[in-house]
Amino acid sequence: MKKKISLLGLVLILALGLFTGCSKSDTTEYDQAQLEQYADFIIQNFSAMSADDMAFFSDLSDLELDLTMLDTGVPITGENFLSMIDAWNAGVEECGAFVDRGDYTMEVTNDGPTLSAEVNFTDRSGTVEFAFDEDGNMESLTVSADYSIGEILQKAGLNTVLGMGTTFAVLIFLSFIIWLLKFIPALEKKFRKTPETAAIAAEPAAASAPAPVAEPDEADDTELAAVIAAAVAASEGTSPDGFVVRSIKRRKSNKWN
C-alpha cells in the first residue's frame, strides 16, 4: 500500500512539473515596444536604400556582415538580413514603393513572437510580418500583397490556361516525334546502303536483260542462196546461172520437216 502511495505521489510531482514548464513557456513575455523598434528600423532603412546599397551588403563577407549587424543593435544574423532584403525587394516589385504602415499586432506562439501590420504601397496595400525566435532575435520578413476577388480569379484562370496550354503543347510535340519515328527505318536503310551492295543489286538486273538478237551474217545468206539456186537448177535440169534469189523467207507450214 505504501509503495502504491509513493508511486502515485511521484506521478503527481512529474505531472505538476510538466504543467509548470508548459505554463512558463506559454506565458513568456516579450517587449513588444522593443520588437516594434526593430521592425521599424528594418522598414525605414529598406525603404530608403537603393539597389546599390542593398547590393553592398551582399558583397560583404559573412564575418563583415555579422559585425555590421551587431553595430546596428538589431538582433539578426547576416544570413537572415540578406533573406529579408530579398523578401522586401519582391514585395516592392509586386506592390510598389513603400508609403506608410498601420499599427502592429503581436502574436506569440511556441516558436516565438510575430509582429504584423497593414502597409500601404504606391500600387496596392499589403501586410508586412516579422518573425522572431524564442530569444527575440529577428528571423524573417514577409510582405503579402492584398488582391481583390476579381484579381485572384484572374490569376487563377491565367495559371490554369498556362498549365493546360503547356500540357497540350508537350503532348502535341510528343505526337509529332512519334509520327517522325516511322521514317527512321527508311533513313537507316538508305544510309547503310554501300556501293558494294548497290553493285550486287545491279548485277541481277543486268543478267535479266534480254540479249540483243544478232542480225544474220550476210555471208551466210549468200551461201544459202547459192545452195537453193543449185537445188532448183538440178530439179529443172538447167544451169543455176539464170536464177536470182531475191529474198529468203521461212514458211509457217514447212513440208520439209
Side-chain angles (χ1 to χ4, degrees):
M1 184 68 179
K2 291 182 179 181
K3 290 183 178 180
K4 292 182 179 179
I5 295 175
S6 301
L7 183 59
L8 180 61
L10 181 60
V11 172
L12 291 175
I13 292 172
L14 292 175
L16 181 61
L18 292 174
F19 178 76
T20 304
C22 293
S23 300
K24 183 178 180 181
S25 177
D26 294 339
T27 58
T28 302
E29 295 183 358
Y30 297 95
D31 189 352
Q32 182 174 349
Q34 184 66 47
L35 298 181
E36 290 181 0
Q37 289 181 5
Y38 296 151
D40 282 339
F41 176 83
I42 294 296
I43 291 177
Q44 291 173 5
N45 281 274
F46 281 3
S47 60
M49 284 193 300
S50 63
D52 294 336
D53 295 334
M54 293 183 176
F56 168 78
F57 293 100
S58 300
D59 296 335
L60 295 177
S61 64
D62 294 340
L63 179 59
E64 292 174 339
L65 187 57
D66 289 336
L67 292 176
T68 303
M69 294 299 102
L70 288 175
D71 292 339
T72 61
V74 178
I76 183 174
T77 63
E79 182 180 358
N80 290 338
F81 183 76
L82 294 179
S83 299
M84 293 172 67
I85 288 178
D86 294 336
W88 179 265
N89 288 333
V92 169
E93 183 178 357
E94 187 175 9
C95 303
F98 172 77
V99 178
D100 57 15
R101 68 162 181 83
D103 296 333
Y104 285 109
T105 57
M106 186 173 71
E107 180 182 358
V108 179
T109 62
N110 293 332
D111 296 331
T114 301
L115 285 179
S116 59
E118 294 292 329
V119 182
N120 293 321
F121 296 91
T122 54
D123 295 339
R124 65 177 69 250
S125 61
T127 302
V128 62
E129 184 177 279
F130 292 91
F132 298 83
D133 62 11
E134 295 179 352
D135 299 327
N137 298 318
M138 187 174 290
E139 287 188 327
S140 63
L141 163 67
T142 305
V143 180
S144 303
D146 295 337
Y147 291 98
S148 63
I149 296 178
E151 290 175 329
I152 295 174
L153 293 176
Q154 183 179 3
K155 275 194 168 185
L158 181 61
N159 292 334
T160 302
V161 171
L162 289 177
M164 294 181 64
T166 302
T167 302
F168 279 107
V170 172
L171 291 176
I172 293 172
F173 178 73
L174 291 177
S175 300
F176 178 70
I177 295 297
I178 294 173
W179 178 77
L180 290 177
L181 292 178
K182 67 179 182 179
F183 297 104
I184 292 179
L187 292 175
E188 185 179 2
K189 184 177 180 181
K190 179 179 179 181
F191 283 110
R192 284 186 177 181
K193 190 173 182 181
T194 59
E196 291 78 4
T197 58
I200 294 173
E203 288 179 359
S208 61
V213 179
E215 295 182 357
D217 189 41
E218 294 181 356
D220 295 340
D221 291 346
T222 304
E223 294 178 357
L224 182 59
V227 172
I228 294 173
V232 172
S235 62
E236 296 292 334
T238 60
S239 175
D241 295 337
F243 294 98
V244 177
V245 179
R246 300 293 183 184
S247 64
I248 302 173
K249 294 183 180 179
R250 183 183 295 274
R251 297 184 62 183
K252 293 183 180 179
S253 60
N254 190 357
K255 294 182 180 181
W256 292 97
N257 292 332

